[in-house]
Amino acid sequence: MESFKQLLREHDLKITPARLGILDILHDSTSPMNAEEIYNEVSKETHTSLATIYRTLGQFSELGLLMQDNSSDGSIYYQFATDNHSHYLKCSNCNKRIHLENCPLSDLEERIQKETGFKITGHSLEFVGLCPECQKELQA
Amino acid sequence: MESFKQLLREHDLKITPARLGILDILHDSTSPMNAEEIYNEVSKETHTSLATIYRTLGQFSELGLLMQDNSSDGSIYYQFATDNHSHYLKCSNCNKRIHLENCPLSDLEERIQKETGFKITGHSLEFVGLCPECQKELQA
DNA sequence: GTAATTGCAAACAGTTTGCGCGCCC
DNA sequence: GGGCGCGCAAACTGTTTGCAATTAC
């Protein structure tokens, strides 16, 4: 908690309940969340609005605190921008999401940076497929 | 051309100018395109509407002819679903897109299929970073 | 002829923004 | 006290959908 206040100060951001709430929620979550999910959680603790959630998530992303994943469900998923972030595997039939631990792209990013001269700051990755249950269901 | 007609017949789809146009454009393009880009090209040849483009792209994707990439620009990029499809590297400053040949994820997909029991039908991948020019510009 | 396909316009969902009030430092 | 941050509602963007007219077969 206290460390999040420190984090905000370091980035010249005022300490507000919404900002702390978002950081808390994302810290507690084991997998990426979209704006609405975050809003639902944060608004349990603090009176806030979706607009604020979006604005704050945008700021945090620009500062490099969070990374964004554009999902095939049309929304953006947010998580802390650690080296060991993760991605989703989504069932195209039942829309169930499976959380894949560990992102396998760091080696690849390294190579692409060398080859293109880009400074890579993030990536978006999602797998889509059929979960075991839906494979059975659709076979029948 | 003729082969695209065959392709449509195989999938029980009627042969229409819009469908042929979309297949042509995507075949000629060296990199993924979004609905609006495709519409701009196809409508040069044939009178059509964005709605038709979206509907057709959706159909083709469901049939497995095309694959979709959800880009951080908020739109969906389409390309033929070949093993050797590709992805983008996008500059977060000037929005320039660099086209990365060869998708590096097939090995990984194989592994995930084994580990999760999912049947993976596609994925979405995009790298975001700063292009060499923008790195200089922002340093100055 | 008949069902699939289309165009149009309206509906939608997620996200962004303008503005005035209020809170953090 | 001054400016950053906020809530609200309205605007925007990409995409989807209902329906009547049209086309492919």
Side-chain angles (χ1 to χ4, degrees), chain B residues 12-95:
Chain B
D12 288 315
L13 294 175
K14 290 185 179 169
I15 291 158
T16 69
R19 285 175 178 161
L20 290 175
I22 290 176
L23 293 174
D24 268 357
I25 297 295
L26 281 176
H27 182 256
D28 288 350
S29 169
T30 56
S31 54
M33 299 172 77
N34 68 22
E36 198 175 339
E37 291 168 348
I38 294 169
Y39 169 71
N40 287 337
E41 291 302 314
V42 173
S43 59
K44 284 181 189 165
E45 314 277 324
T46 311
H47 181 226
T48 186
S49 74
L50 245 187
T52 297
I53 301 290
Y54 275 110
R55 268 191 281 235
T56 306
L57 290 172
Q59 284 176 333
F60 287 171
S61 301
E62 278 202 15
L63 291 173
L65 256 49
L66 300 182
M67 50 174 290
Q68 318 181 185
D69 270 68
N70 299 86
S71 164
S72 58
D73 70 7
S75 70
I76 306 173
Y77 284 78
Y78 297 85
Q79 62 185 312
F80 275 97
T82 63
D83 282 343
N84 218 11
H85 59 258
S86 57
H87 300 280
Y88 276 127
L89 167 54
K90 208 194 70 171
C91 178
S92 57
N93 190 55
C94 65
N95 288 318

Side-chain angles (χ1 to χ4, degrees), chain A residues 15-35:
Chain A
I15 291 158
T16 69
R19 286 174 178 162
L20 290 175
I22 290 176
L23 292 174
D24 268 356
I25 297 296
L26 281 177
H27 182 257
D28 288 351
S29 170
T30 56
S31 54
M33 299 172 76
N34 67 22

